[in-house]
Amino acid sequence: MLALNFPKYSFRFKNSENKIAVFDELRKKFVVLTPEEWVRQHVVKFLTLDKNYPKNHINVEKQLKLGKLTKRYDAVVFYPDGKIKVVVECKAPHIKITQEVFDQIARYNLSLKADYLMLTNGLQHYFCKLDYKEEKYHFLPEIPDYISSKTSEKS
């Protein structure tokens, strides 16, 4: 697999039915290693090892209802009170991060109402903080580290 723009992490692999699988520590099972999955696994390691988010506050590959449509989000980080802190959209490294891709995560967030968005293809990463009062988003150089608290941040 392609080297990504993340720190170096170690992963568990296995070969099953002529397909390589990677162990997903959150789902506690091996999943087929696609280019997008490679990015998602790096994001999970990044959030847990570098940003100190607890594994039990991260969900991956869950269904989401958008009106009459059913979609799947790549990853979501929750506050201890269940409110969503970060929505993550992962793309394969060969997928360019365009306005259309950004619009996809923004549509997901209409129902999720996260405080932050992270969009990555493993090579380029974009982070933004949502300002619902002003109906704007602000791009950030990085996603904030995990801060232990009983409830969501008040900013």
PDB file of all heavy atoms in Angstrom, residues 2-32:
ATOM      1  N   LEU A   2       0.306   2.291  -0.508  1.00  0.00           N
ATOM      2  CA  LEU A   2       0.967   3.581  -0.637  1.00  0.00           C
ATOM      3  C   LEU A   2       1.280   4.194   0.729  1.00  0.00           C
ATOM      4  O   LEU A   2       0.474   4.103   1.648  1.00  0.00           O
ATOM      5  CB  LEU A   2       0.023   4.518  -1.410  1.00  0.00           C
ATOM      6  CG  LEU A   2       0.451   5.941  -1.669  1.00  0.00           C
ATOM      7  CD1 LEU A   2       1.610   5.967  -2.661  1.00  0.00           C
ATOM      8  CD2 LEU A   2      -0.715   6.734  -2.225  1.00  0.00           C
ATOM      9  N   ALA A   3       2.445   4.809   0.859  1.00  0.00           N
ATOM     10  CA  ALA A   3       2.784   5.551   2.081  1.00  0.00           C
ATOM     11  C   ALA A   3       1.916   6.804   2.125  1.00  0.00           C
ATOM     12  O   ALA A   3       1.754   7.502   1.127  1.00  0.00           O
ATOM     13  CB  ALA A   3       4.257   5.929   2.079  1.00  0.00           C
ATOM     14  N   LEU A   4       1.331   7.069   3.286  1.00  0.00           N
ATOM     15  CA  LEU A   4       0.425   8.204   3.437  1.00  0.00           C
ATOM     16  C   LEU A   4       1.075   9.310   4.256  1.00  0.00           C
ATOM     17  O   LEU A   4       2.092   9.103   4.905  1.00  0.00           O
ATOM     18  CB  LEU A   4      -0.875   7.736   4.107  1.00  0.00           C
ATOM     19  CG  LEU A   4      -1.651   6.654   3.349  1.00  0.00           C
ATOM     20  CD1 LEU A   4      -2.884   6.234   4.131  1.00  0.00           C
ATOM     21  CD2 LEU A   4      -2.021   7.112   1.951  1.00  0.00           C
ATOM     22  N   ASN A   5       0.453  10.462   4.239  1.00  0.00           N
ATOM     23  CA  ASN A   5       0.943  11.630   4.962  1.00  0.00           C
ATOM     24  C   ASN A   5       0.451  11.601   6.418  1.00  0.00           C
ATOM     25  O   ASN A   5      -0.318  12.450   6.855  1.00  0.00           O
ATOM     26  CB  ASN A   5       0.477  12.898   4.243  1.00  0.00           C
ATOM     27  CG  ASN A   5       1.053  14.146   4.853  1.00  0.00           C
ATOM     28  OD1 ASN A   5       2.025  14.097   5.595  1.00  0.00           O
ATOM     29  ND2 ASN A   5       0.438  15.284   4.548  1.00  0.00           N
ATOM     30  N   PHE A   6       0.852  10.562   7.124  1.00  0.00           N
ATOM     31  CA  PHE A   6       0.573  10.361   8.543  1.00  0.00           C
ATOM     32  C   PHE A   6       1.859   9.838   9.164  1.00  0.00           C
ATOM     33  O   PHE A   6       2.724   9.324   8.449  1.00  0.00           O
ATOM     34  CB  PHE A   6      -0.510   9.287   8.752  1.00  0.00           C
ATOM     35  CG  PHE A   6      -1.912   9.742   8.466  1.00  0.00           C
ATOM     36  CD1 PHE A   6      -2.539   9.390   7.280  1.00  0.00           C
ATOM     37  CD2 PHE A   6      -2.626  10.498   9.393  1.00  0.00           C
ATOM     38  CE1 PHE A   6      -3.838   9.787   7.014  1.00  0.00           C
ATOM     39  CE2 PHE A   6      -3.922  10.902   9.140  1.00  0.00           C
ATOM     40  CZ  PHE A   6      -4.538  10.548   7.949  1.00  0.00           C
ATOM     41  N   PRO A   7       1.972   9.904  10.483  1.00  0.00           N
ATOM     42  CA  PRO A   7       3.118   9.232  11.114  1.00  0.00           C
ATOM     43  C   PRO A   7       3.085   7.732  10.784  1.00  0.00           C
ATOM     44  O   PRO A   7       2.051   7.199  10.370  1.00  0.00           O
ATOM     45  CB  PRO A   7       2.884   9.465  12.611  1.00  0.00           C
ATOM     46  CG  PRO A   7       2.017  10.688  12.675  1.00  0.00           C
ATOM     47  CD  PRO A   7       1.147  10.620  11.455  1.00  0.00           C
ATOM     48  N   LYS A   8       4.198   7.045  10.977  1.00  0.00           N
ATOM     49  CA  LYS A   8       4.262   5.601  10.723  1.00  0.00           C
ATOM     50  C   LYS A   8       3.551   4.857  11.849  1.00  0.00           C
ATOM     51  O   LYS A   8       3.799   5.120  13.023  1.00  0.00           O
ATOM     52  CB  LYS A   8       5.723   5.126  10.654  1.00  0.00           C
ATOM     53  CG  LYS A   8       6.494   5.747   9.511  1.00  0.00           C
ATOM     54  CD  LYS A   8       6.150   5.077   8.204  1.00  0.00           C
ATOM     55  CE  LYS A   8       6.974   5.631   7.075  1.00  0.00           C
ATOM     56  NZ  LYS A   8       6.209   5.973   5.903  1.00  0.00           N
ATOM     57  N   TYR A   9       2.651   3.947  11.491  1.00  0.00           N
ATOM     58  CA  TYR A   9       1.923   3.140  12.466  1.00  0.00           C
ATOM     59  C   TYR A   9       2.102   1.668  12.113  1.00  0.00           C
ATOM     60  O   TYR A   9       2.397   1.322  10.968  1.00  0.00           O
ATOM     61  CB  TYR A   9       0.421   3.463  12.430  1.00  0.00           C
ATOM     62  CG  TYR A   9       0.079   4.910  12.684  1.00  0.00           C
ATOM     63  CD1 TYR A   9      -0.525   5.685  11.706  1.00  0.00           C
ATOM     64  CD2 TYR A   9       0.345   5.499  13.913  1.00  0.00           C
ATOM     65  CE1 TYR A   9      -0.857   7.011  11.939  1.00  0.00           C
ATOM     66  CE2 TYR A   9       0.022   6.826  14.162  1.00  0.00           C
ATOM     67  CZ  TYR A   9      -0.580   7.567  13.171  1.00  0.00           C
ATOM     68  OH  TYR A   9      -0.911   8.880  13.406  1.00  0.00           O
ATOM     69  N   SER A  10       1.883   0.815  13.089  1.00  0.00           N
ATOM     70  CA  SER A  10       1.937  -0.619  12.799  1.00  0.00           C
ATOM     71  C   SER A  10       0.513  -1.162  12.701  1.00  0.00           C
ATOM     72  O   SER A  10      -0.395  -0.714  13.417  1.00  0.00           O
ATOM     73  CB  SER A  10       2.734  -1.367  13.870  1.00  0.00           C
ATOM     74  OG  SER A  10       2.093  -1.257  15.113  1.00  0.00           O
ATOM     75  N   PHE A  11       0.329  -2.105  11.801  1.00  0.00           N
ATOM     76  CA  PHE A  11      -0.976  -2.710  11.530  1.00  0.00           C
ATOM     77  C   PHE A  11      -0.827  -4.226  11.480  1.00  0.00           C
ATOM     78  O   PHE A  11       0.260  -4.731  11.198  1.00  0.00           O
ATOM     79  CB  PHE A  11      -1.533  -2.217  10.184  1.00  0.00           C
ATOM     80  CG  PHE A  11      -1.779  -0.745  10.124  1.00  0.00           C
ATOM     81  CD1 PHE A  11      -0.815   0.114   9.617  1.00  0.00           C
ATOM     82  CD2 PHE A  11      -2.972  -0.206  10.576  1.00  0.00           C
ATOM     83  CE1 PHE A  11      -1.036   1.476   9.551  1.00  0.00           C
ATOM     84  CE2 PHE A  11      -3.195   1.169  10.516  1.00  0.00           C
ATOM     85  CZ  PHE A  11      -2.226   2.010  10.002  1.00  0.00           C
ATOM     86  N   ARG A  12      -1.911  -4.933  11.732  1.00  0.00           N
ATOM     87  CA  ARG A  12      -1.951  -6.389  11.584  1.00  0.00           C
ATOM     88  C   ARG A  12      -2.648  -6.713  10.267  1.00  0.00           C
ATOM     89  O   ARG A  12      -3.718  -6.175   9.976  1.00  0.00           O
ATOM     90  CB  ARG A  12      -2.725  -7.032  12.734  1.00  0.00           C
ATOM     91  CG  ARG A  12      -1.983  -6.983  14.045  1.00  0.00           C
ATOM     92  CD  ARG A  12      -2.780  -7.520  15.212  1.00  0.00           C
ATOM     93  NE  ARG A  12      -3.507  -8.750  14.931  1.00  0.00           N
ATOM     94  CZ  ARG A  12      -4.604  -9.112  15.585  1.00  0.00           C
ATOM     95  NH1 ARG A  12      -5.105  -8.359  16.543  1.00  0.00           N
ATOM     96  NH2 ARG A  12      -5.204 -10.254  15.289  1.00  0.00           N
ATOM     97  N   PHE A  13      -2.041  -7.588   9.490  1.00  0.00           N
ATOM     98  CA  PHE A  13      -2.590  -7.977   8.192  1.00  0.00           C
ATOM     99  C   PHE A  13      -2.779  -9.482   8.139  1.00  0.00           C
ATOM    100  O   PHE A  13      -2.128 -10.227   8.867  1.00  0.00           O
ATOM    101  CB  PHE A  13      -1.627  -7.586   7.055  1.00  0.00           C
ATOM    102  CG  PHE A  13      -1.339  -6.121   6.983  1.00  0.00           C
ATOM    103  CD1 PHE A  13      -0.175  -5.597   7.533  1.00  0.00           C
ATOM    104  CD2 PHE A  13      -2.214  -5.249   6.365  1.00  0.00           C
ATOM    105  CE1 PHE A  13       0.110  -4.247   7.474  1.00  0.00           C
ATOM    106  CE2 PHE A  13      -1.942  -3.891   6.294  1.00  0.00           C
ATOM    107  CZ  PHE A  13      -0.775  -3.395   6.845  1.00  0.00           C
ATOM    108  N   LYS A  14      -3.648  -9.904   7.239  1.00  0.00           N
ATOM    109  CA  LYS A  14      -3.742 -11.325   6.917  1.00  0.00           C
ATOM    110  C   LYS A  14      -4.200 -11.446   5.474  1.00  0.00           C
ATOM    111  O   LYS A  14      -4.816 -10.537   4.923  1.00  0.00           O
ATOM    112  CB  LYS A  14      -4.668 -12.070   7.875  1.00  0.00           C
ATOM    113  CG  LYS A  14      -6.139 -11.936   7.614  1.00  0.00           C
ATOM    114  CD  LYS A  14      -6.939 -12.854   8.533  1.00  0.00           C
ATOM    115  CE  LYS A  14      -8.406 -12.814   8.158  1.00  0.00           C
ATOM    116  NZ  LYS A  14      -9.216 -13.680   8.990  1.00  0.00           N
ATOM    117  N   ASN A  15      -3.869 -12.579   4.887  1.00  0.00           N
ATOM    118  CA  ASN A  15      -4.270 -12.866   3.524  1.00  0.00           C
ATOM    119  C   ASN A  15      -5.424 -13.857   3.590  1.00  0.00           C
ATOM    120  O   ASN A  15      -5.276 -14.942   4.139  1.00  0.00           O
ATOM    121  CB  ASN A  15      -3.090 -13.450   2.749  1.00  0.00           C
ATOM    122  CG  ASN A  15      -3.316 -13.425   1.257  1.00  0.00           C
ATOM    123  OD1 ASN A  15      -4.449 -13.402   0.788  1.00  0.00           O
ATOM    124  ND2 ASN A  15      -2.229 -13.439   0.518  1.00  0.00           N
ATOM    125  N   SER A  16      -6.566 -13.469   3.049  1.00  0.00           N
ATOM    126  CA  SER A  16      -7.751 -14.311   3.101  1.00  0.00           C
ATOM    127  C   SER A  16      -8.394 -14.348   1.727  1.00  0.00           C
ATOM    128  O   SER A  16      -8.762 -13.307   1.185  1.00  0.00           O
ATOM    129  CB  SER A  16      -8.726 -13.747   4.132  1.00  0.00           C
ATOM    130  OG  SER A  16      -9.902 -14.488   4.173  1.00  0.00           O
ATOM    131  N   GLU A  17      -8.519 -15.533   1.167  1.00  0.00           N
ATOM    132  CA  GLU A  17      -9.123 -15.711  -0.163  1.00  0.00           C
ATOM    133  C   GLU A  17      -8.468 -14.796  -1.196  1.00  0.00           C
ATOM    134  O   GLU A  17      -9.135 -14.126  -1.965  1.00  0.00           O
ATOM    135  CB  GLU A  17     -10.635 -15.476  -0.094  1.00  0.00           C
ATOM    136  CG  GLU A  17     -11.340 -16.431   0.841  1.00  0.00           C
ATOM    137  CD  GLU A  17     -12.812 -16.076   1.045  1.00  0.00           C
ATOM    138  OE1 GLU A  17     -13.359 -15.308   0.225  1.00  0.00           O
ATOM    139  OE2 GLU A  17     -13.385 -16.568   2.014  1.00  0.00           O
ATOM    140  N   ASN A  18      -7.130 -14.758  -1.174  1.00  0.00           N
ATOM    141  CA  ASN A  18      -6.333 -13.935  -2.092  1.00  0.00           C
ATOM    142  C   ASN A  18      -6.600 -12.438  -1.971  1.00  0.00           C
ATOM    143  O   ASN A  18      -6.382 -11.684  -2.915  1.00  0.00           O
ATOM    144  CB  ASN A  18      -6.516 -14.382  -3.545  1.00  0.00           C
ATOM    145  CG  ASN A  18      -5.876 -15.719  -3.774  1.00  0.00           C
ATOM    146  OD1 ASN A  18      -4.867 -16.048  -3.160  1.00  0.00           O
ATOM    147  ND2 ASN A  18      -6.462 -16.511  -4.666  1.00  0.00           N
ATOM    148  N   LYS A  19      -7.108 -12.014  -0.814  1.00  0.00           N
ATOM    149  CA  LYS A  19      -7.301 -10.589  -0.546  1.00  0.00           C
ATOM    150  C   LYS A  19      -6.590 -10.282   0.764  1.00  0.00           C
ATOM    151  O   LYS A  19      -6.659 -11.044   1.719  1.00  0.00           O
ATOM    152  CB  LYS A  19      -8.777 -10.244  -0.408  1.00  0.00           C
ATOM    153  CG  LYS A  19      -9.523 -10.320  -1.713  1.00  0.00           C
ATOM    154  CD  LYS A  19     -10.940  -9.862  -1.548  1.00  0.00           C
ATOM    155  CE  LYS A  19     -11.663  -9.975  -2.876  1.00  0.00           C
ATOM    156  NZ  LYS A  19     -13.066  -9.680  -2.759  1.00  0.00           N
ATOM    157  N   ILE A  20      -5.922  -9.143   0.795  1.00  0.00           N
ATOM    158  CA  ILE A  20      -5.256  -8.720   2.028  1.00  0.00           C
ATOM    159  C   ILE A  20      -6.286  -8.021   2.903  1.00  0.00           C
ATOM    160  O   ILE A  20      -7.084  -7.202   2.425  1.00  0.00           O
ATOM    161  CB  ILE A  20      -4.059  -7.796   1.725  1.00  0.00           C
ATOM    162  CG1 ILE A  20      -3.005  -8.569   0.933  1.00  0.00           C
ATOM    163  CG2 ILE A  20      -3.472  -7.229   3.007  1.00  0.00           C
ATOM    164  CD1 ILE A  20      -1.847  -7.733   0.461  1.00  0.00           C
ATOM    165  N   ALA A  21      -6.264  -8.353   4.178  1.00  0.00           N
ATOM    166  CA  ALA A  21      -7.161  -7.723   5.145  1.00  0.00           C
ATOM    167  C   ALA A  21      -6.315  -7.087   6.238  1.00  0.00           C
ATOM    168  O   ALA A  21      -5.207  -7.535   6.535  1.00  0.00           O
ATOM    169  CB  ALA A  21      -8.108  -8.754   5.738  1.00  0.00           C
ATOM    170  N   VAL A  22      -6.851  -6.029   6.835  1.00  0.00           N
ATOM    171  CA  VAL A  22      -6.196  -5.326   7.927  1.00  0.00           C
ATOM    172  C   VAL A  22      -7.107  -5.443   9.144  1.00  0.00           C
ATOM    173  O   VAL A  22      -8.334  -5.417   9.013  1.00  0.00           O
ATOM    174  CB  VAL A  22      -5.909  -3.848   7.551  1.00  0.00           C
ATOM    175  CG1 VAL A  22      -7.184  -3.082   7.254  1.00  0.00           C
ATOM    176  CG2 VAL A  22      -5.092  -3.155   8.626  1.00  0.00           C
ATOM    177  N   PHE A  23      -6.501  -5.574  10.321  1.00  0.00           N
ATOM    178  CA  PHE A  23      -7.304  -5.684  11.536  1.00  0.00           C
ATOM    179  C   PHE A  23      -7.774  -4.298  11.963  1.00  0.00           C
ATOM    180  O   PHE A  23      -6.973  -3.392  12.164  1.00  0.00           O
ATOM    181  CB  PHE A  23      -6.516  -6.333  12.675  1.00  0.00           C
ATOM    182  CG  PHE A  23      -7.372  -6.625  13.876  1.00  0.00           C
ATOM    183  CD1 PHE A  23      -8.256  -7.698  13.857  1.00  0.00           C
ATOM    184  CD2 PHE A  23      -7.322  -5.819  14.995  1.00  0.00           C
ATOM    185  CE1 PHE A  23      -9.072  -7.974  14.945  1.00  0.00           C
ATOM    186  CE2 PHE A  23      -8.133  -6.068  16.095  1.00  0.00           C
ATOM    187  CZ  PHE A  23      -9.013  -7.159  16.071  1.00  0.00           C
ATOM    188  N   ASP A  24      -9.086  -4.142  12.070  1.00  0.00           N
ATOM    189  CA  ASP A  24      -9.679  -2.894  12.520  1.00  0.00           C
ATOM    190  C   ASP A  24      -9.888  -2.994  14.029  1.00  0.00           C
ATOM    191  O   ASP A  24     -10.697  -3.792  14.496  1.00  0.00           O
ATOM    192  CB  ASP A  24     -11.016  -2.666  11.814  1.00  0.00           C
ATOM    193  CG  ASP A  24     -11.642  -1.338  12.182  1.00  0.00           C
ATOM    194  OD1 ASP A  24     -11.765  -1.037  13.385  1.00  0.00           O
ATOM    195  OD2 ASP A  24     -12.022  -0.601  11.262  1.00  0.00           O
ATOM    196  N   GLU A  25      -9.144  -2.191  14.774  1.00  0.00           N
ATOM    197  CA  GLU A  25      -9.186  -2.240  16.237  1.00  0.00           C
ATOM    198  C   GLU A  25     -10.524  -1.774  16.802  1.00  0.00           C
ATOM    199  O   GLU A  25     -10.889  -2.156  17.915  1.00  0.00           O
ATOM    200  CB  GLU A  25      -8.059  -1.392  16.830  1.00  0.00           C
ATOM    201  CG  GLU A  25      -6.691  -1.947  16.516  1.00  0.00           C
ATOM    202  CD  GLU A  25      -5.560  -1.066  17.013  1.00  0.00           C
ATOM    203  OE1 GLU A  25      -5.812  -0.058  17.719  1.00  0.00           O
ATOM    204  OE2 GLU A  25      -4.404  -1.386  16.692  1.00  0.00           O
ATOM    205  N   LEU A  26     -11.267  -0.973  16.063  1.00  0.00           N
ATOM    206  CA  LEU A  26     -12.566  -0.500  16.545  1.00  0.00           C
ATOM    207  C   LEU A  26     -13.662  -1.527  16.294  1.00  0.00           C
ATOM    208  O   LEU A  26     -14.485  -1.787  17.165  1.00  0.00           O
ATOM    209  CB  LEU A  26     -12.941   0.831  15.889  1.00  0.00           C
ATOM    210  CG  LEU A  26     -11.975   1.986  16.148  1.00  0.00           C
ATOM    211  CD1 LEU A  26     -12.453   3.235  15.426  1.00  0.00           C
ATOM    212  CD2 LEU A  26     -11.826   2.253  17.626  1.00  0.00           C
ATOM    213  N   ARG A  27     -13.662  -2.113  15.104  1.00  0.00           N
ATOM    214  CA  ARG A  27     -14.674  -3.126  14.776  1.00  0.00           C
ATOM    215  C   ARG A  27     -14.272  -4.509  15.279  1.00  0.00           C
ATOM    216  O   ARG A  27     -15.063  -5.434  15.235  1.00  0.00           O
ATOM    217  CB  ARG A  27     -14.911  -3.156  13.261  1.00  0.00           C
ATOM    218  CG  ARG A  27     -15.580  -1.882  12.763  1.00  0.00           C
ATOM    219  CD  ARG A  27     -15.789  -1.895  11.272  1.00  0.00           C
ATOM    220  NE  ARG A  27     -14.605  -1.347  10.610  1.00  0.00           N
ATOM    221  CZ  ARG A  27     -14.500  -1.136   9.302  1.00  0.00           C
ATOM    222  NH1 ARG A  27     -15.500  -1.450   8.501  1.00  0.00           N
ATOM    223  NH2 ARG A  27     -13.407  -0.620   8.794  1.00  0.00           N
ATOM    224  N   LYS A  28     -13.022  -4.626  15.730  1.00  0.00           N
ATOM    225  CA  LYS A  28     -12.458  -5.871  16.276  1.00  0.00           C
ATOM    226  C   LYS A  28     -12.587  -7.045  15.296  1.00  0.00           C
ATOM    227  O   LYS A  28     -12.981  -8.141  15.652  1.00  0.00           O
ATOM    228  CB  LYS A  28     -13.104  -6.212  17.618  1.00  0.00           C
ATOM    229  CG  LYS A  28     -12.843  -5.149  18.670  1.00  0.00           C
ATOM    230  CD  LYS A  28     -13.218  -5.611  20.035  1.00  0.00           C
ATOM    231  CE  LYS A  28     -13.042  -4.606  21.131  1.00  0.00           C
ATOM    232  NZ  LYS A  28     -12.289  -3.437  20.958  1.00  0.00           N
ATOM    233  N   LYS A  29     -12.218  -6.752  14.040  1.00  0.00           N
ATOM    234  CA  LYS A  29     -12.228  -7.796  13.013  1.00  0.00           C
ATOM    235  C   LYS A  29     -11.345  -7.359  11.851  1.00  0.00           C
ATOM    236  O   LYS A  29     -11.003  -6.180  11.717  1.00  0.00           O
ATOM    237  CB  LYS A  29     -13.646  -8.077  12.521  1.00  0.00           C
ATOM    238  CG  LYS A  29     -14.285  -6.913  11.774  1.00  0.00           C
ATOM    239  CD  LYS A  29     -15.674  -7.276  11.304  1.00  0.00           C
ATOM    240  CE  LYS A  29     -16.274  -6.158  10.453  1.00  0.00           C
ATOM    241  NZ  LYS A  29     -17.601  -6.499   9.948  1.00  0.00           N
ATOM    242  N   PHE A  30     -10.969  -8.335  11.034  1.00  0.00           N
ATOM    243  CA  PHE A  30     -10.224  -8.038   9.821  1.00  0.00           C
ATOM    244  C   PHE A  30     -11.193  -7.553   8.755  1.00  0.00           C
ATOM    245  O   PHE A  30     -12.287  -8.103   8.601  1.00  0.00           O
ATOM    246  CB  PHE A  30      -9.471  -9.278   9.331  1.00  0.00           C
ATOM    247  CG  PHE A  30      -8.214  -9.549  10.104  1.00  0.00           C
ATOM    248  CD1 PHE A  30      -8.229 -10.394  11.202  1.00  0.00           C
ATOM    249  CD2 PHE A  30      -7.015  -8.944   9.746  1.00  0.00           C
ATOM    250  CE1 PHE A  30      -7.066 -10.639  11.924  1.00  0.00           C
ATOM    251  CE2 PHE A  30      -5.851  -9.181  10.459  1.00  0.00           C
ATOM    252  CZ  PHE A  30      -5.884 -10.024  11.548  1.00  0.00           C
ATOM    253  N   VAL A  31     -10.794  -6.514   8.024  1.00  0.00           N
ATOM    254  CA  VAL A  31     -11.588  -5.974   6.921  1.00  0.00           C
ATOM    255  C   VAL A  31     -10.706  -5.907   5.680  1.00  0.00           C
ATOM    256  O   VAL A  31      -9.492  -5.744   5.787  1.00  0.00           O
ATOM    257  CB  VAL A  31     -12.169  -4.578   7.261  1.00  0.00           C
ATOM    258  CG1 VAL A  31     -13.187  -4.672   8.387  1.00  0.00           C
ATOM    259  CG2 VAL A  31     -11.086  -3.591   7.615  1.00  0.00           C
ATOM    260  N   VAL A  32     -11.317  -6.046   4.524  1.00  0.00           N
ATOM    261  CA  VAL A  32     -10.566  -6.018   3.271  1.00  0.00           C
ATOM    262  C   VAL A  32      -9.840  -4.693   3.142  1.00  0.00           C
ATOM    263  O   VAL A  32     -10.409  -3.625   3.378  1.00  0.00           O
ATOM    264  CB  VAL A  32     -11.497  -6.244   2.064  1.00  0.00           C
ATOM    265  CG1 VAL A  32     -10.737  -6.084   0.742  1.00  0.00           C
ATOM    266  CG2 VAL A  32     -12.130  -7.625   2.139  1.00  0.00           C
TER     267      VAL A  32
END
